[in-house]
Amino acid sequence: MKSYDRLSERQRSILRYMEQYIDQNGFPPTIREIGLATDINSTSVVNYNLNKLVQAGYLTRSGRVSRGLRLVGKGDNEMRKIAPVNNGLRVPMVGHIVASEPVAIPEDAGHYYDQDSIINVTPDMLGGADPALVFALRVKGDSMIDAMVADGDIVLLRKQETAKQGDMVAVWLDENGETTLKLYYPEGERVRLQPKHPHMAPIYVDARHCHVRGKVLTVIRRVN
Amino acid sequence: MKSYDRLSERQRSILRYMEQYIDQNGFPPTIREIGLATDINSTSVVNYNLNKLVQAGYLTRSGRVSRGLRLVGKGDNEMRKIAPVNNGLRVPMVGHIVASEPVAIPEDAGHYYDQDSIINVTPDMLGGADPALVFALRVKGDSMIDAMVADGDIVLLRKQETAKQGDMVAVWLDENGETTLKLYYPEGERVRLQPKHPHMAPIYVDARHCHVRGKVLTVIRRVN
DNA sequence: TTTGACTTAGAACCTGTGTTCGTTTACAAT
DNA sequence: ATTGTAAACGAACACAGGTTCTAAGTCAAA
């Protein structure tokens, strides 16, 4: 994963246009307007490059709303963000975690996540884990609500096949044919999977049919 | 047309909302958003009043364009320059949010936060909000567990005194003498505070004794 | 009471606009 | 050549959101 993102001429051109457009109109342009102005004949390409710019930290987007663009770094007050700060890390979003569907865990080498699915995080969110082993999943459905994880949440996991008592892990259950997030408590032959929500009964499964995929490091939930 | 029209309360309300919204999001609101915020339940009425405001010279419109609104006399040139900005932003952690204790919200005036209480986040976690208005709180206790927020979680909030329907907000309740996180649903004289957890009964409070402190943008939970 | 200007509602309509997806090209590495 | 990946394309989709229309409620003046 190459880490220098030199902006392409196109991306620079988009920024230039946006700056001018906003200054001129008081609101950001649409994807199609950007395309027209920068000689891009496909909205998806504009969209693609906009996401690149978000990754590079040049702007932020409000998903699914028209003109939901915003240039980062508008004249702020104070020192707030002055300090260079450690750079963000980039973590691959390898898919969704849904009940009744296995999770595609990135194998040692062959990973093929598309660029769009890379999220930025800060080092402290990894809790010291090797960034190379960290991946992200988006939670679909409320099946993990008893683990205090809601639909749409993003979980950062560290790839590993074992777990310590009390770890919050993503486990594949042969029996149920699904992957879930639970608290992990090995008890000899069997494993107790304790929902995090108080007053909810634990699940017991055979240790041989319970495969740890990764340990949860952080849960991120974007609200609205 | 008599040009000396004093603005109606509604129209003034629209202007107020627009100003706040633009400041907050960097682009103007939609007709429907305006309606929602100013208790107008018909898009045509909003449209009607917007045209009035144009007549009165308070704003200009770009026909048949989404968010084609522009406050007149409002900063055209606000020094929006493209600042590369690396992926990290710094957000002050202003304290804890606990049942039965008020939250210290940072005031506009110059404030000084000590190093330890600053956390790093990435721009996309702010959902387009002005970084200068964002602050963080650490959740103490399980009192907000019905809002899917657990002990130890960090919540990123945007400082604001108003909220839209469905927003997850930090509200101060005179009655209970505490601040909590809930989903905000204004219903005329009263406010319905809906816990996020399904199958849990909402709380109803008098709108006058319910003060919004900030809107939750993101919830971050470090596991283990 | 009637009239007419002003304001509000609600729904229907339809274009604008973000999103997604299958495909294709360019280029570098193996 | 073969493979893998970044980048581009264009079409289709879905719904957000501006526009328009009909109807009705308010209120002051006649």
Side-chain angles (χ1 to χ4, degrees), chain A residues 105-164:
Chain A
I105 301 293
E107 289 309 324
D108 309 299
H111 20 283
Y112 57 93
Y113 4 89
D114 59 320
Q115 272 297 63
D116 291 340
S117 57
I118 285 187
I119 66 171
N120 292 318
V121 301
T122 55
D124 23 313
M125 292 181 193
L126 271 47
D130 180 354
L133 296 178
V134 177
F135 60 99
L137 291 173
R138 183 177 293 279
V139 175
K140 278 234 170 157
D142 285 325
S143 62
M144 267 94 69
I145 203 168
D146 55 356
M148 292 295 291
V149 177
D151 181 62
D153 286 5
I154 293 174
V155 288
L156 264 40
L157 299 105
R158 181 192 172 287
K159 193 186 173 199
Q160 62 184 50
E161 282 75 41
T162 62
K164 286 184 308 184

Side-chain angles (χ1 to χ4, degrees), chain B residues 66-82:
Chain B
S66 68
R67 304 170 193 274
L69 300 168
R70 196 174 310 109
L71 292 171
V72 305
K74 209 51 183 175
D76 290 313
N77 39 2
E78 199 171 319
M79 194 92 169
R80 288 176 189 280
K81 69 174 182 185
I82 314 176

Side-chain angles (χ1 to χ4, degrees), chain A residues 55-76:
Chain A
Q55 280 175 27
Y58 284 85
L59 42 87
T60 59
R61 301 186 70 178
S62 299
R64 216 179 297 109
V65 311
S66 64
R67 304 166 193 276
L69 300 169
R70 184 192 178 108
L71 292 172
V72 172
K74 73 169 213 177
D76 265 319

